[in-house]
């Protein structure tokens, strides 16, 4: 609000003039404000709504500080909570900006000293800091100068070379400020990448400009982000071996969806012919059911086709259309699909029952000016109810003469139409497309496409990974996970070699077949996977229910009662006896005892149950339960 911004500006000016102690926005740390500040260069981005101008760098008391730098931060020494007088607070500058009232601000991602967390269970070095996910906003006058935070291996290397380490520290862990949990920092990820992911301001800039506004304090990282690869005298890239590993691991992430998906040309062409023809015909009688095992590229291929259709429309080669996506897994109740569809088409909210009536009326009423709506219903099997009314309506409406509606339903279950009532089966039978598991050659092609020009994988290593996955499931997600883990193992070995042989520093060794074997064993033989593989029926249902609820909410925590409700729904779907609540409480306790699930207190004082957090990767759950035909399709 305007009053809040006025108050911020007034507080900043008062603090700077009177040298008073200024509390951070989060209220958790108290800073000593002093000094003058001026921007370096012109603004790199303006947030029009908030009237804020963002900058790459600032000079405070003669010291130049960039976005991305780790810095010392001024504080009242009486408030250091047990820290020695020699230690200062340290943070990372995530963003720099000036608000509409002229106040200069920075977003800080705090780094914690180990002694600030009394419950730590490991010995900490005197030069060790914990990175954290705690970010807040402060006046730039609190910045005191730049320091350096590196990896432990880099710190040891500098120490062995007798370099000056007075303002150099190292970090091995990420401290979760709210939950008081320490997570090891993956070697495949840089500090800058974690900053962009955790910073609210960086995410805001990414949403507005489609790329992070970051000027890095590390020239190599800055060059990599700008897409510029500087050439050495010999014509080779100056990007270090470590950055090659980091880039490879980033491109092998499941969330890194490429612009074009290889090896699905036939399915893409069928989808394109169906959707383009349906739009040109006005959508009459157009419905398609897409099925296939998890990890076969169903949703990604549909979305790629929709992007291509949008390009055709922009070129004037296709009539205008609307695209609406509904994910059944993310709906609290199947009937909410009516509400989401109606809101997407009209911008208005209605209860599920009222929205169903309004949609029925809309699809019966002729209106030639109305755009064709292409509706994608992902995780269709989550919308199946006892009377199956929701699924019936979604696939019956396109058959209406004036509906101007195209429906594409996606599910992992190939025989879903046969499981439904005959009247629905007849609607789904209009068109079907099956995505078969990826073959060995297809998996190999996809991995090579992801890695592009990064030559850190031996060809035989990719071949071995492709063969192993093709013989089991053909799941590209598992193949990417194995390759990413193999790259991390190879990177760790390269770092260990560099510590003993300085001439090999910066070089990247190839990921070999041995690394692939180690990655497979590491992912398959972990204690979590062993535990998951031996769970009993209701324990498996409980874990899968948590995964479903977390995906639906898009959150990290889920309420116990909602998990219980989901377990009961799964039991109903798969015809298992519904257990009493006290039995599910026992299951919950067992899962917490073996650390597959973490219990955390609810922020709602009215909530009598704790919140649940998964303590295992979803990919591990998927791998451990891959032989459970009923439950594996939810993962």
């Amino acid at each position: 609000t305007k009053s809040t911004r006025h108050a911020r500006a007034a507080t900043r000016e008062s603090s700077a003039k009177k040298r008073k102690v200024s509390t951070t926005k989060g209220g958790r740390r108290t800073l000593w404000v002093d000094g003058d500040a001026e921007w370096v260069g012109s603004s790199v981005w303006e947030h029009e709504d908030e009237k804020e101008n963002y900058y790459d760098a600032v000079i405070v008391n003669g010291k130049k500080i960039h976005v991305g730098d780790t810095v010392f931060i001024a504080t009242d020494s009486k408030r250091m909570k047990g820290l020695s007088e020699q230690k200062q607070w340290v943070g990372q500058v995530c963003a720099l900006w000036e608000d509409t009232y002229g106040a200069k601000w920075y977003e800080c991602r705090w780094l914690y000293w180990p002694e600030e967390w009394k419950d730590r269970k490991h010995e900490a070095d005197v030069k060790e800091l914990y990175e954290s996910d705690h970010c807040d906003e402060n006046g730039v006058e609190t910045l005191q100068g730049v320091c350096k935070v590196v990896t432990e291996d880099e710190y040891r290397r500098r120490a062995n070379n007798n370099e000056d380490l007075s303002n150099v520290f190292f970090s091995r862990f990420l401290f979760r400020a709210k939950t008081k949990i320490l997570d090891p920092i993956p070697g495949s990820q840089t500090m800058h990448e974690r900053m962009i992911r955790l910073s609210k301001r960086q995410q805001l800039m990414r949403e507005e400009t489609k790329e992070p506004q970051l000027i890095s304090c590390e020239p190599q990282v800055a060059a990599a982000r700008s897409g510029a690869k500087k050439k050495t005298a010999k014509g080779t890239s100056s990007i270090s071996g470590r950055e090659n590993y980091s880039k490879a691991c980033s491109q092998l992430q499941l969330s890194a969806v490429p612009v074009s998906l290889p090896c699905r040309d036939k399915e893409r062409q069928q989808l394109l012919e169906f959707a383009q023809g349906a739009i040109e015909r006005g959508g009459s009688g157009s419905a398609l059911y897409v099925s296939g095992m998890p990890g076969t590229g169903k949703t990604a291929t549909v979305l790629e086709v929709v992007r291509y259709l949008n390009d055709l429309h922009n070129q004037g080669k296709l009539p205008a259309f609307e695209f609406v996506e509904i994910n059944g897994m993310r709906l609290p109740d199947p009937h909410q699909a009516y509400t989401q569809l109606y809101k997407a088409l009209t911008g208005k909210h209605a209860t599920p029952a009222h929205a169903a009536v309004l949609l029925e009326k809309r699809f019966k009423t002729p209106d030639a000016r109305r755009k064709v709506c292409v509706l994608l219903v992902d995780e269709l099997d989550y919308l199946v109810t006892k009377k199956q009314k929701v699924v019936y309506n979604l696939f019956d409406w396109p058959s209406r003469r004036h509906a101007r509606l195209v429906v594409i339903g996606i599910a992992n279950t190939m025989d879903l139409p046969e499981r439904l009532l005959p009247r629905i089966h007849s609607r789904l039978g209009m068109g079907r497309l099956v995505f078969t598991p990826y073959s060995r050659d297809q998996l190999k092609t996809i991995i090579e496409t992801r890695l592009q020009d990064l030559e850190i994988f031996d060809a035989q290593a990719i071949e071995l990974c492709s063969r192993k996955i093709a013989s089991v499931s053909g799941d590209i997600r598992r193949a990417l996970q194995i390759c990413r883990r193999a790259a991390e193992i190879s990177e760790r070995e390269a770092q260990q070699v560099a510590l003993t042989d300085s001439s090999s520093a910066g070089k990247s060794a190839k990921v070999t077949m041995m690394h692939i074997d180690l990655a497979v064993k590491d992912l398959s033989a972990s204690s979590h996977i062993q535990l998951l593989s031996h769970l009993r029926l209701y324990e498996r249902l409980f874990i899968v229910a948590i995964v479903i609820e977390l995906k639906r909410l898009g959150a990290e925590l889920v309420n116990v009662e909602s998990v219980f409700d989901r377990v009961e729904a799964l039991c109903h779907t798969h015809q298992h006896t519904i257990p009493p609540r006290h039995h599910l409480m026992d299951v919950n306790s067992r899962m917490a005892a073996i650390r597959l699930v973490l219990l955390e207190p609810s922020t709602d004082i009215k909530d009598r149950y704790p919140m649940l957090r998964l303590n295992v990767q979803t990919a591990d759950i998927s791998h451990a339960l891959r032989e459970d035909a009923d439950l594996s399709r939810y993962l």
Side-chain angles (χ1 to χ4, degrees), residues 448-481:
E448 290 174 342
T449 302
R450 290 264 185 157
L451 293 172
Q452 296 176 349
D453 57 345
L454 294 175
E455 298 180 355
I456 67 168
F457 270 77
D458 189 71
Q460 292 178 325
I462 297 176
E463 177 76 20
L464 177 62
C465 177
S466 303
R467 285 180 178 273
K468 284 182 176 290
I469 298 302
S471 66
V472 178
S473 63
D475 188 342
I476 185 59
R477 299 175 302 182
R478 187 66 178 174
L480 295 176
Q481 187 183 27

Side-chain angles (χ1 to χ4, degrees), residues 12-189:
R12 186 195 71 80
E13 292 170 0
S14 175
S15 299
K17 292 177 181 178
K18 301 180 182 179
R19 288 180 53 88
K20 288 186 177 180
V21 172
S22 171
T23 303
T24 69
K25 185 179 177 183
R28 299 177 64 175
R29 292 190 158 189
T30 305
L31 308 182
W32 191 270
V33 179
D34 183 30
D36 299 317
E38 60 178 299
W39 298 121
V40 176
S42 57
S43 170
V44 296
W45 180 64
E46 180 181 357
H47 191 318
E48 296 182 356
D49 293 340
E50 298 292 335
K51 304 300 181 185
E52 296 170 338
N53 289 297
Y54 285 73
Y55 295 83
D56 287 331
V58 65
I59 296 177
V60 182
N61 292 331
K63 299 175 181 177
K64 190 174 182 179
I65 296 170
H66 288 272
V67 172
D69 283 346
T70 45
V71 293
F72 292 118
I73 298 172
T75 181
D76 181 357
S77 59
K78 295 180 181 180
R79 299 176 182 266
M80 289 297 286
K81 295 186 178 180
L83 292 180
S84 64
E85 294 183 1
Q86 292 78 19
K87 290 187 175 180
Q88 292 178 271
W89 274 335
V90 179
Q92 184 179 26
V93 178
C94 302
L96 293 162
W97 74 95
E98 182 174 315
D99 66 22
T100 187
Y101 304 103
K104 298 180 176 66
W105 298 88
Y106 71 99
E107 183 183 29
C108 170
R109 183 167 75 98
W110 289 102
L111 284 84
Y112 284 74
W113 294 101
E115 52 261 52
E116 292 186 82
W117 186 40
K118 297 180 181 179
D119 296 330
R120 72 182 190 279
K121 297 180 181 179
H122 74 280
E123 293 297 325
D125 191 282
V126 67
K127 297 299 289 288
E128 182 174 7
L129 285 162
Y130 296 154
E131 290 186 40
S132 81
D133 57 359
H134 171 201
C135 298
D136 57 25
E137 301 172 0
N138 309 292
V140 296
E141 294 85 355
T142 61
L143 297 171
Q144 293 293 291
V146 177
C147 59
K148 191 76 173 175
V149 178
V150 297
T151 64
E152 183 181 19
D153 291 342
E154 173 65 14
Y155 183 86
R156 302 303 178 201
R157 186 191 66 78
R158 294 187 182 205
N160 292 336
N161 293 339
N162 297 318
E163 297 182 22
D164 181 15
L165 300 176
S166 56
N167 288 335
V168 180
F169 309 92
F170 71 87
S171 178
R172 297 179 293 168
F173 297 98
L174 178 69
F175 179 62
R176 304 287 183 182
K178 291 184 178 180
T179 60
K180 303 295 189 292
I181 293 175
L182 274 184
D183 289 333
I185 293 175
S188 61
Q189 199 177 59

Side-chain angles (χ1 to χ4, degrees), residues 271 288-292 298 302 408-412 432-435:
L271 278 167
L288 179 68
Y289 176 61
V290 180
S291 62
K298 301 183 295 295
V302 173
I408 301 174
I410 299 178
N412 296 332
R432 297 172 72 165
L433 176 60
V434 177
F435 277 63

